[in-house]
Amino acid sequence: MTRTLEIRGFNDKVHEKLGNLATQKGISINSIVRDAVDKWLEQQQSEESGNTIL
């Protein structure tokens, strides 16, 4: 099931830059954002378990 995610500070200028980069790389903005969230969650889990990734 998909959900709508609203991100504060993600204005039109940032969205345009990200869209241009995504188009150049042949991927979607959703893919970039999902990857960033996954990495952030992974880092949080590592920090909670005492294994900080540098």
Side-chain angles (χ1 to χ4, degrees):
M1 177 182 348
T2 61
R3 305 236 188 239
T4 300
L5 178 65
E6 293 186 29
I7 304 170
R8 280 186 269 159
F10 200 80
N11 60 28
D12 289 339
K13 186 175 181 179
V14 172
H15 190 269
E16 182 179 353
K17 285 182 179 180
L18 190 55
N20 290 339
L21 183 58
T23 299
Q24 290 173 7
K25 302 257 182 205
I27 57 178
S28 69
I29 292 175
N30 287 348
S31 178
I32 295 170
V33 172
R34 187 174 51 239
D35 184 52
V37 170
D38 287 344
K39 287 180 181 180
W40 187 86
L41 289 170
E42 189 177 294
Q43 180 180 357
Q44 295 307 304
Q45 290 174 338
S46 293
E47 288 176 3
E48 288 175 5
S49 66
N51 300 323
T52 304
I53 298 171
L54 299 176

